[in-house]
Amino acid sequence: GNLPMRNGDQIPSIRILGHRVHMVELPDVVSQMTRWIKSESDRCHVVVNTGMHGIMEGHRNPEFKAQLNTADMFAPDGILVVLVARLKGFSIRKSKTGPALMWDYFESAKGRTSKHYFYGDTKETLEALKAHLHSAYPDAEIVGLRSPPFRQLTDAEDEADIRAINEANPDILWISLGAPKQERWMFDHKERLIVPVVVGTGASFKFFAGKVRR
């Protein structure tokens, strides 16, 4: 189904190789996330932010495609999705790449408290990310950082991770495990997460952490 917009209109979506992709630009995604946190915090909303890479993955794997189609928002990333949208008559400007969503969210949340949990990447990246966010966005509260092992987690480890996230009570859970692993993780765990918004962010953690070292 379509998503309601700020003015009550529906956010249109198109189908690309059988995937429902919302015709949104980053400000729409950010305001929708903000609205979910404020008014629908009792339900976990999954935001997929991927380009043709995720779509091709779903095209090859019908089960993964079915999961992607249950996302609360599929925000297109990259020029290919934009071109397809244009062919279908939607004028989306070239969307910025993945890290821009995180950047835009933190910029929009300046001046109000927000709570964040970061799951994925390496301990070094997470520490650098935390340092950068503390200095650039003092209103953003980092309630958790977790770099899971690269291997398959045991059920007990997985359970412990979910419990830690829920106890930390974030507004947003940012996942950086690479596509399609992060999308699978979000869909596999959303029923157990007590978090208003969970977002797959690709290489965003590294991108942000790099801002510290540069």
Side-chain angles (χ1 to χ4, degrees):
N2 289 336
L3 288 163
M5 287 177 89
R6 284 181 295 276
N7 56 8
D9 290 342
Q10 300 280 302
I11 292 178
S13 59
I14 62 169
R15 294 232 158 227
I16 301 176
L17 295 178
H19 298 77
R20 186 191 59 176
V21 179
H22 290 105
M23 293 293 94
V24 283
E25 295 187 64
L26 290 181
D28 306 315
V29 184
V30 168
S31 61
Q32 182 72 50
M33 286 165 64
T34 307
R35 204 156 44 242
W36 281 330
I37 291 163
K38 213 163 63 196
S39 60
E40 288 186 37
S41 61
D42 54 339
R43 187 166 90 71
C44 182
H45 302 81
V46 173
V47 177
V48 170
N49 184 211
T50 188
M52 287 310 283
H53 175 74
I55 284 175
M56 291 316 296
E57 193 67 42
H59 189 54
R60 284 193 294 271
N61 181 336
E63 184 197 4
F64 184 57
K65 181 196 290 185
Q67 283 189 322
L68 286 178
N69 280 337
T70 68
D72 294 278
M73 183 178 276
F74 189 132
D77 181 30
I79 190 64
L80 273 172
V81 174
V82 176
L83 290 175
V84 175
R86 282 198 191 138
L87 290 175
K88 302 209 176 203
F90 288 97
S91 64
I92 282 193
R93 293 185 295 280
K94 177 178 178 340
S95 63
K96 296 180 266 186
T97 51
L101 174 56
M102 208 159 120
W103 173 265
D104 278 22
Y105 186 85
F106 280 97
E107 281 293 316
S108 83
K110 269 183 172 166
R112 64 170 200 272
T113 316
S114 55
K115 295 185 294 178
H116 304 269
Y117 198 110
F118 297 92
Y119 188 90
D121 217 305
T122 64
K123 285 195 174 66
E124 296 73 37
T125 297
L126 290 173
E127 286 306 325
L129 172 69
K130 183 179 180 178
H132 170 63
L133 290 172
H134 269 321
S135 61
Y137 304 104
D139 300 310
E141 204 185 320
I142 295 162
V143 296
L145 303 165
R146 164 79 166 135
S147 171
F150 202 67
R151 57 173 172 74
Q152 182 82 34
L153 271 64
T154 66
D155 286 349
E157 287 171 327
D158 192 52
E159 214 46 65
D161 279 359
I162 294 294
R163 194 164 55 243
I165 291 165
N166 287 340
E167 281 170 7
N169 193 29
D171 295 319
I172 302 181
L173 170 60
W174 303 90
I175 309 285
S176 180
L177 299 170
K181 191 176 172 186
Q182 65 195 16
E183 283 77 24
R184 289 184 195 284
W185 191 96
M186 296 193 298
F187 293 117
D188 288 346
H189 294 84
K190 68 175 180 182
E191 301 304 329
R192 289 185 282 151
L193 288 166
I194 308 164
V195 181
V197 180
V198 54
V199 189
T201 66
S204 298
F205 294 7
K206 277 207 182 8
F207 175 84
F208 261 74
K211 285 190 173 304
V212 171
R213 289 195 290 274
R214 274 211 290 280

